[in-house]
Amino acid sequence: MEEMKNIPAELRRLEDVIDTVEGKLHNTAGLLELISLGMERLNREEDSYETSSMRILKEYLSEVSGTEITKIRTILAEIKGQL
């Protein structure tokens, strides 16, 4: 019975972790955007291998944040609904 009482608290902790991961993904994507813009300005080249790689990585992180985090939140909501 003690374990059942801890489940809602653990689910809230899991929500906090998800929020933290989502924030870190968003911040990292923003930093990659700033770095790629700075590299473009510094190198005076818009399409270099490095800046293209950073843009791809930024898009990937944004996609993970948008889709995978949403899936995790949906699963968590389903679990909470079953309790």
Side-chain angles (χ1 to χ4, degrees), residues 36 40 46-47 51-60:
S36 65
E40 284 177 8
E46 288 187 25
D47 285 332
T51 56
S52 295
S53 297
M54 286 200 190
R55 281 198 188 112
I56 290 168
L57 185 56
K58 176 197 168 285
E59 290 172 14
Y60 176 75

Side-chain angles (χ1 to χ4, degrees), residues 1 3-4 9 11 13 15 17-18 20 28 34 36 38 50 52-53 56-57 61-64 66 81 83:
M1 201 58 150
E3 293 171 359
M4 289 301 285
L11 290 174
R13 284 184 52 216
E15 284 179 328
V17 169
I18 293 168
T20 301
T28 302
L34 289 174
S36 65
E50 292 82 5
S52 295
S53 297
I56 290 168
L57 185 56
L61 290 176
S62 296
E63 185 68 23
V64 166
L83 294 180

Side-chain angles (χ1 to χ4, degrees), residues 8-77:
E10 293 299 317
L11 290 174
R12 282 192 298 276
R13 284 184 52 216
L14 185 56
E15 284 179 328
D16 292 342
V17 169
I18 293 168
D19 290 341
T20 301
V21 169
E22 184 177 32
K24 288 180 179 184
L25 287 171
H26 179 74
N27 291 340
T28 302
L31 289 172
L32 287 170
E33 178 69 22
L34 289 174
I35 291 169
S36 65
L37 290 173
M39 287 175 65
E40 284 177 8
R41 188 173 181 107
L42 185 65
N43 296 333
R44 298 173 192 201
E45 262 183 65
E46 288 187 25
D47 285 332
S48 69
Y49 174 78
E50 292 82 5
T51 56
S52 295
S53 297
M54 286 200 190
R55 281 198 188 112
I56 290 168
L57 185 56
K58 176 197 168 285
E59 290 172 14
Y60 176 75
L61 290 176
S62 296
E63 185 68 23
V64 166
S65 181
T67 58
E68 300 303 320
I69 297 293
T70 303
K71 286 179 188 177
I72 292 169
R73 287 185 191 281
T74 302
I75 292 168
L76 185 60

